[in-house]
Amino acid sequence: QSPYEICLTMEALNNCDVKVCTLLNVSFFKGLFVPNAFTPEANSGIVREFKPTGKSLTSYSLEIYDTWGNMLWRTNEIDQEDGSPLVGWKGSKQDGTPVPQGVYIWKIEAQFADGTYWSDGEDKMKVGSVTLIR
């Protein structure tokens, strides 16, 4: 990735412009953090929903399953400007029916702007668990 030229132009009191430029190397940031618990009935804050946080995603899919393997909820919405997940799971099925307190399984497939996947192995999907506290 090539460096960006950043310039500051200042107008002096004698109407003489002074221009200072430098090259800035911007390193690419990518990442995804997945919380391990949430509580929808909390008074406020980010703990009210299960929402992974990350940047530089070009594709993203989050699925929530119960312990019997039934898919309860799914999203693939990302912010087009910074590539962050837009929607979090609020502890209910896709139709809005609340699910009981317990442990649920998440599956995430995420690809970053540089073409790499968030997963470690050949499978493009990562799997983990989240605890829903009511």
Side-chain angles (χ1 to χ4, degrees):
Q1 188 172 6
S2 359
Y4 294 95
E5 183 179 32
I6 306 296
C7 295
L8 172 65
T9 303
M10 299 168 283
E11 186 176 321
L13 294 175
N14 60 2
N15 289 334
C16 178
D17 289 345
V18 175
K19 185 175 183 179
V20 178
C21 294
T22 187
L23 293 178
L24 178 65
N25 287 313
V26 178
S27 55
F28 179 74
F29 174 77
K30 65 179 183 181
L32 192 61
F33 168 76
V34 180
N36 60 8
F38 74 110
T39 180
E41 282 78 31
N43 289 336
S44 64
I46 60 173
V47 298
R48 291 182 56 96
E49 65 182 359
F50 172 71
K51 183 179 173 192
T53 56
K55 296 284 184 205
S56 302
L57 295 167
T58 55
S59 68
Y60 169 78
S61 172
L62 166 62
E63 298 172 351
I64 304 294
Y65 293 84
D66 63 20
T67 53
W68 295 275
N70 301 306
M71 187 168 63
L72 304 174
W73 187 85
R74 180 179 195 281
T75 185
N76 61 2
E77 295 182 49
I78 56 175
D79 184 317
Q80 295 302 312
E81 286 189 29
D82 67 0
S84 63
L86 275 178
V87 180
W89 182 48
K90 293 177 176 60
S92 59
K93 296 180 182 179
Q94 202 75 45
D95 67 4
T97 306
V99 297
Q101 176 171 300
V103 176
Y104 293 86
I105 307 303
W106 56 260
K107 292 184 178 181
I108 295 176
E109 183 177 321
Q111 185 176 23
F112 296 104
D114 66 354
T116 60
Y117 285 88
W118 183 54
S119 64
D120 299 328
E122 291 180 20
D123 188 7
K124 296 178 182 175
M125 189 168 280
K126 272 192 179 184
V127 178
S129 64
V130 59
T131 302
L132 166 60
I133 304 165
R134 292 217 183 261

